[in-house]
Amino acid sequence: MVIFAIILLALLFFATEPVPVDVTAIGVMVTLMLVQPVSELFVSLGLLGAPIVFFESYPGDALSGFANTATLTVLAMFILSEGVQRTGIIQLLGAKIASFTGDDELKQLGATVGVVSPISGFINNTAAVAILLPMVTDLAERGNTSPSKLLLPLSYASMFGGMLTLIGTSTNILASDVYSRITGEAAISMFQFTHLGVVVMVVGTIYLLTVGRRLTPARIEPRRDLTEEFEMAEYLTEVVVREDSPVVGQQVQTALVETDFDVDLLQLIRGDSVFLEPLGPKEIQVGDVFTVRTDRDTLVELLDVEGLDLVPVTVTEDELELADEGQNLVEIVVAPGSSLVGETLTSASFRQRYNATVLALRRGGELIRRRMDNLPLRVGDTLLIQGTASSIERLDNNRNFIVAQEIERHDYRESKIPVAVGIVAGVVALAALDFVPIVVSALMGALAMVATKCLRPPELYDAVQWDVIFLLAGVIPLGIAMETSGAAALLAELVVMSGTVLPLLGVLGVFYFVTALLTNIISNNASVVLMIPVAIEAATTLGARPFSFVLAVMFAASTAFMTPVGYQTNLFVYGPGGYKFTDYIRVGGPLQLVLGIVTTLGVAYFFPLT
């Protein structure tokens, strides 16, 4: 009863996210650790007959998630993915793809799916989407295609591509560890389920190129100008300082920035010179022209109070990029684990910290272009940013964001491409040959990335998505507690009851679809921890092979197609694609059903149930 109460509360927090999922996971771990001492106190007070004990070794088992092989393997894989990314090989690949696809949407879609799927089998699929998202949006722009037609398939293809190998996603690694710990069998090997993964990938690719292509909406029109895409015509304008203006001789900071007006100064045009941030210290002169972001009502009041006149021009992306060579206007996506999640632009001091101005915010299909300063930011929010070329490059290097367009980078280590690729190949080969466990080969590879200077030592810590690591460390003890408390056995009994009316294949399908539905609501890693103990218990009771049931759960937990919150990659594309929540159900629902049937039949064919 206690463990079910904790699970229900955890599910509620995972689904509604009042706090980030990694914080919820740590909260679950702490709660589990408190149960034993609190129950012992109740026993001493005569309120309970016996203490409630979840862990044989207390508190060691409760903290074991931090030393777990799955946690450490995932940590090492983040480092390996970063080492590959720093070489710029993916960007070079993108440039070659663009020259091949041209303006043919089907070719663009085929190239997107065909590239991300195999890549996701060998580097973390979340990292693969983060790297490829700028390439895909640029591919759409060059080919005059709506980015919405490509970005959702990018996310979906990365998910079923992650099922090609053990290291494709953290879910596979965690599933292997839980399976090995409960059954005492050897951990799942590198390519043990690859043939099933290939079938799923082929079927998924065919769906995305045919039915999925028709169902995927073009939420964002093909564009050449970001100001048009964000419908900024009514919010961007230029004003000129009159001779009788009271702000003449004052600093920009005092006269125009530190005011109650909802207005952002984007650039100052003085004669033939154009200036970007920092504008604050500059002294205002007669005839200065400022490019500003504000709404019409505020503009009328600003013109009247500050002695400014309207300049009758249309402010375009080209106009905003006069001041500096390079890209000054880009979209950035708030990444999972970003320190800005829950913060506002004001509380985060965004403009001062990043030396850039937010012109608009897109949350799915919703555009926000006024009063943004006090709006709490969420994962997947897309911000239209204006800043200097150097500021944009710093944002591109910042782990808090994903810049949604390709920008010129000067820090790629292209000479290290063969080395980085060789290290990843070595990690895979050592694990596949069973020379050393995957955790050892992955940690060796992480060390080799630094030793060969593919990565610098400080970059190791930036490479790791610490929210995923803490999530794993927090939910692993929950799986242990489910086993020791008998909760897994009780749930398995309920599922086994369906075996009286369903064949064994039907029970396998039940596990797949229950896990898939759960994963679309909560974290994929939490789904694995909750469902694999139940699947193993049910399979044992039915006289079936636990491994087959574990595979069904593992594949289902990595294919959350029906909601933007079910998987991190879905959130990555939510803002840049301008999608609505229902788009995921419309495109992902049929895909979930098709792959559910294919996976269930594939498991039964390749890995007999008895």
Side-chain angles (χ1 to χ4, degrees):
M1 288 174 63
V2 172
I3 195 66
F4 279 137
I6 293 172
I7 289 171
L8 287 174
L9 190 60
L11 290 176
L12 178 66
F13 271 66
F14 279 131
T16 59
E17 285 199 51
V19 294
V21 291
D22 52 312
V23 176
T24 296
I26 296 299
V28 168
M29 180 187 73
V30 172
T31 302
L32 291 171
M33 286 193 290
L34 287 174
V35 169
Q36 184 172 330
V38 169
S39 66
E40 288 172 349
L41 175 63
F42 283 0
V43 170
S44 67
L45 295 174
L47 301 175
L48 201 63
I52 300 171
V53 179
F54 288 140
F55 307 109
E56 291 182 11
S57 173
Y58 178 85
D61 284 350
L63 296 169
S64 61
F66 286 102
N68 189 274
T69 55
T71 307
L72 295 174
T73 303
V74 171
L75 184 148
M77 292 310 302
F78 281 132
I79 294 171
L80 289 170
S81 298
E82 182 73 5
V84 173
Q85 180 181 349
R86 292 277 181 177
T87 65
I89 184 174
I90 309 297
Q91 287 70 19
L92 291 174
L93 183 62
K96 293 186 180 298
I97 289 171
S99 63
F100 162 73
T101 58
D103 59 359
D104 187 317
E105 183 188 305
L106 185 60
K107 282 186 178 180
Q108 293 169 355
L109 183 58
T112 298
V113 174
V115 168
V116 74
S117 293
I119 286 177
S120 296
F122 295 95
I123 68 173
N124 181 273
N125 56 354
T126 304
V129 171
I131 297 168
L132 291 170
L133 191 149
M135 180 204 84
V136 172
T137 53
D138 276 15
L139 197 65
E141 182 180 345
R142 292 190 197 106
N144 200 33
T145 301
S146 167
S148 311
K149 300 291 285 185
L150 303 180
L151 290 176
L152 199 56
L154 171 71
S155 175
Y156 288 168
S158 77
M159 281 188 243
F160 49 68
M163 301 312 300
L164 291 173
T165 69
L166 182 67
I167 61 174
T169 172
S170 61
T171 312
N172 297 350
I173 297 168
L174 179 59
S176 171
D177 179 80
V178 175
Y179 166 72
S180 177
R181 176 170 51 79
I182 296 176
T183 63
E185 300 288 336
I188 300 172
S189 63
M190 179 68 69
F191 299 110
Q192 194 167 350
F193 52 85
T194 297
H195 45 312
L196 177 59
V198 170
V199 171
V200 169
M201 183 183 74
V202 170
V203 173
T205 300
I206 293 171
Y207 172 88
L208 291 177
L209 293 177
T210 54
V211 178
R213 183 187 175 200
R214 293 182 178 277
L215 293 176
T216 305
R219 294 292 180 198
I220 296 176
E221 293 298 321
R223 54 88 185 162
R224 292 290 180 183
D225 193 312
L226 279 169
T227 59
E228 292 178 8
E229 180 182 319
F230 280 80
E231 300 173 14
M232 296 297 297
E234 294 186 6
Y235 295 87
L236 294 178
T237 190
E238 290 183 357
V239 294
V240 61
V241 180
R242 298 198 309 258
E243 289 186 12
D244 60 346
S245 172
V247 301
V248 173
Q250 296 185 40
Q251 285 190 331
V252 171
Q253 182 76 25
T254 307
L256 297 175
V257 176
E258 296 173 355
T259 67
D260 294 330
F261 294 117
D262 177 28
V263 59
D264 287 315
L265 303 183
L266 308 182
Q267 60 187 17
L268 164 62
I269 303 170
R270 180 176 290 167
D272 294 329
S273 301
V274 184
F275 303 96
L276 295 177
E277 290 284 0
L279 297 176
K282 295 191 179 297
E283 188 176 292
I284 299 173
Q285 299 177 10
V286 174
D288 280 352
V289 176
F290 289 97
T291 306
V292 299
R293 181 215 60 82
T294 189
D295 60 85
R296 290 300 178 191
D297 293 339
T298 305
L299 178 62
V300 170
E301 193 175 352
L302 181 72
L303 294 175
D304 183 50
V305 173
E306 304 292 4
L308 308 172
D309 283 334
L310 187 65
V311 179
V313 297
T314 300
V315 179
T316 64
E317 184 173 342
D318 290 339
E319 182 80 10
L320 290 173
E321 294 189 339
L322 289 173
D324 197 5
E325 292 184 5
Q327 230 170 336
N328 298 330
L329 202 65
V330 295
E331 296 170 271
I332 63 171
V333 183
V334 179
S338 169
S339 62
L340 271 73
V341 174
E343 295 275 0
T344 66
L345 296 175
T346 300
S347 66
S349 302
F350 185 94
R351 185 165 187 161
Q352 293 78 15
R353 188 191 300 185
Y354 300 106
N355 195 27
T357 304
V358 178
L359 305 185
L361 183 151
R362 183 166 56 222
R363 181 168 289 166
E366 180 186 9
L367 276 176
I368 303 167
R369 288 152 298 189
R370 56 180 297 179
R371 303 294 176 190
M372 298 173 290
D373 290 349
N374 297 311
L375 185 70
L377 297 173
R378 301 177 188 171
V379 174
D381 281 350
T382 302
L383 309 177
L384 179 61
I385 298 293
Q386 192 249 3
T388 63
S390 58
S391 295
I392 299 300
E393 187 168 339
R394 285 197 301 273
L395 285 168
D396 192 39
N397 284 321
N398 195 305
R399 302 290 299 187
N400 289 317
F401 312 107
I402 302 166
V403 175
Q405 289 90 34
E406 290 277 10
I407 67 168
E408 186 179 354
R409 288 274 295 269
H410 306 290
D411 59 348
Y412 286 133
R413 297 154 196 167
E414 294 182 14
S415 63
K416 298 293 183 181
I417 288 176
V419 179
V421 172
I423 290 171
V424 174
V427 168
V428 172
L430 287 174
L433 295 171
D434 207 21
F435 181 74
V436 292
I438 179 63
V439 63
V440 177
S441 67
L443 288 170
M444 288 171 59
L447 189 62
M449 285 290 183
V450 179
T452 57
K453 297 184 179 178
C454 292
L455 283 176
R456 301 186 182 100
E459 292 169 350
L460 287 174
Y461 304 97
D462 290 335
V464 178
Q465 291 182 21
W466 293 103
D467 57 324
V468 175
I469 300 302
F470 278 88
L471 171 63
L472 291 172
V475 297
I476 285 171
L478 183 60
I480 297 173
M482 283 185 66
E483 298 162 49
T484 57
S485 67
L490 182 58
L491 288 173
E493 286 178 21
L494 296 175
V495 176
V496 167
M497 289 171 62
S498 68
T500 60
V501 294
L502 291 174
L504 201 54
L505 184 64
V507 179
L508 185 73
V510 167
F511 269 102
Y512 180 95
F513 286 107
V514 169
T515 305
L517 290 173
L518 195 61
T519 303
N520 276 286
I521 301 170
I522 68 171
S523 157
N524 52 326
N525 291 318
S527 298
V528 158
V529 167
L530 290 172
M531 292 301 295
I532 282 186
V534 181
I536 291 173
E537 193 76 37
T540 303
T541 304
L542 290 168
R545 291 181 65 200
F547 181 72
S548 301
F549 280 69
V550 167
L551 280 183
V553 169
M554 185 176 80
F555 270 69
S558 292
T559 49
F561 302 124
M562 295 192 296
T563 67
V565 297
Y567 209 85
Q568 285 185 336
T569 58
N570 284 349
L571 274 176
F572 280 179
V573 302
Y574 186 47
Y579 298 113
K580 295 180 179 179
F581 194 96
T582 52
D583 293 335
Y584 289 82
I585 298 175
R586 185 171 80 170
V587 185
L591 179 59
Q592 195 92 64
L593 178 62
V594 169
L595 291 190
I597 295 170
V598 168
T599 303
T600 303
L601 294 175
V603 168
Y605 179 78
F606 292 118
F607 307 94
L609 303 185
T610 56

